[in-house]
Amino acid sequence: MSVQSALKAFLCGSLSGTCSTLLFQPLDLIKTRLQTLQGTVQPGSARVGMVSVFLTVVRTEKLVGLWKGMSPSFARTIPGLGLYFSTYYSLKQHFFQGRGLGPLEAVALGAGARSVAGVLMLPVTVIKTRFESGRYNYSSVVGALRSMCQTEGPRALFSGLVPTLLRDAPFSGIYVMFYTQTKACLPTELGSSSYGPPAHFLCGIGAGVLASLITQPADVVKTNVQVGSGLSTAAAVRQVYSVNGVRGFFRGAVPRCLRRTMMAAMAWTVYETMMTRVGLKS
């Protein structure tokens, strides 16, 4: 496997990240706002849902407020998906010589690629989460980076590492397993026809829904750790449970499920289409 092939995979992945981030950023912002309401909602107050958060953001921050945090989202997703897909491609070529994957192989490959990208991009993920929460008045990604290092120290940039890996590695492993197995069930002539990309997109949606629901509790904990300064993973778990019980671990599940499912399905569809265009087997 050549460095040039890995670079092509990186560029294809980065392009897929650009498209998906532009379209689905509002869902990520609404998800983050829902998950960070835990400590601000008064007992006995009306339940806050996805629609009410959407209306509040539009009313107070205008429509453009739904795309708040685009800079850190781009800074995270574009290189992050590039790293993910180039790592995925490199590992697949090295260990499996590009052949079809079994279920456990797909889980291991997906989880491994996501772990590498997740650790490397964690500082940007923390900044992105804080931008979207609405609790911090950062003016830019660089300004946020400087502020966090000065007030909380460099360790703050890696807050939520454990729940992030517990969320991302299983999500990617489960997603790749379901996606590759359902795609393998498609007729060969369908995959090579013009209906191939839409069919693969539908396979991605099914895989994304299952993976999102399974990893939702880890996402809630991760968000609370990264937004709450100095909050440990164990403390975040206790806080979520004490405020909303088990249901609190599934707060924001609808917007996250919609966003992660659609983003992953689009990212994989664009990535595979682009890889075919540049003459590589994804």
Side-chain angles (χ1 to χ4, degrees), residues 192-221:
S192 57
S193 70
S194 59
Y195 296 104
H200 294 167
F201 187 81
L202 290 175
C203 291
I205 288 177
V209 170
L210 291 168
S212 293
L213 291 175
I214 291 170
T215 58
Q216 177 65 19
D219 184 67
V220 173
V221 174

Side-chain angles (χ1 to χ4, degrees), residues 157-239:
L157 294 171
F158 289 89
S159 61
L161 174 61
V162 173
T164 296
L165 290 179
L166 287 176
R167 176 199 68 171
D168 288 352
F171 176 90
S172 185
I174 294 166
Y175 182 91
V176 172
M177 179 189 72
F178 282 121
Y179 179 67
T180 55
Q181 298 307 302
T182 52
K183 200 172 70 165
C185 294
L186 296 175
T188 307
E189 58 273 14
L190 177 63
S192 57
S193 70
S194 59
Y195 296 104
H200 294 167
F201 187 81
L202 290 175
C203 291
I205 288 177
V209 170
L210 291 168
S212 293
L213 291 175
I214 291 170
T215 58
Q216 177 65 19
D219 184 67
V220 173
V221 174
K222 185 268 319 177
T223 300
N224 280 271
V225 168
Q226 293 177 345
V227 171
S229 300
L231 195 66
S232 68
T233 300
V237 171
R238 288 194 296 270
Q239 176 180 291

Side-chain angles (χ1 to χ4, degrees), residues 103-121:
L104 293 180
E105 292 172 337
V107 170
L109 188 58
R114 177 54 65 191
S115 295
V116 171
V119 171
L120 292 175
M121 299 307 299

Side-chain angles (χ1 to χ4, degrees), residues 18 44 57 59 71 76 159 189 198 216 224 237 269 276:
T18 304
V57 172
R59 186 171 61 250
S71 295
R76 170 183 176 266
S159 61
E189 58 273 14
Q216 177 65 19
N224 280 271
V237 171
T269 302
T276 301

Side-chain angles (χ1 to χ4, degrees), residues 48-70:
V48 179
M50 181 177 167
V51 175
S52 58
V53 169
F54 170 82
L55 294 175
T56 299
V57 172
V58 172
R59 186 171 61 250
T60 59
E61 303 173 46
K62 299 184 180 178
L63 191 63
V64 72
L66 292 169
W67 276 268
K68 188 172 185 176
M70 278 298 295

Side-chain angles (χ1 to χ4, degrees), residues 125-181:
T125 302
V126 175
I127 293 171
K128 166 187 163 297
T129 303
R130 291 193 174 195
F131 258 95
E132 293 171 352
S133 72
R135 295 186 184 181
Y136 299 85
N137 295 316
Y138 298 137
S139 58
S140 65
V141 174
V142 175
L145 185 65
R146 188 184 303 116
S147 174
M148 289 179 68
C149 288
Q150 289 175 349
T151 59
E152 302 172 55
R155 283 187 62 184
L157 294 171
F158 289 89
S159 61
L161 174 61
V162 173
T164 296
L165 290 179
L166 287 176
R167 176 199 68 171
D168 288 352
F171 176 90
S172 185
I174 294 166
Y175 182 91
V176 172
M177 179 189 72
F178 282 121
Y179 179 67
T180 55
Q181 298 307 302

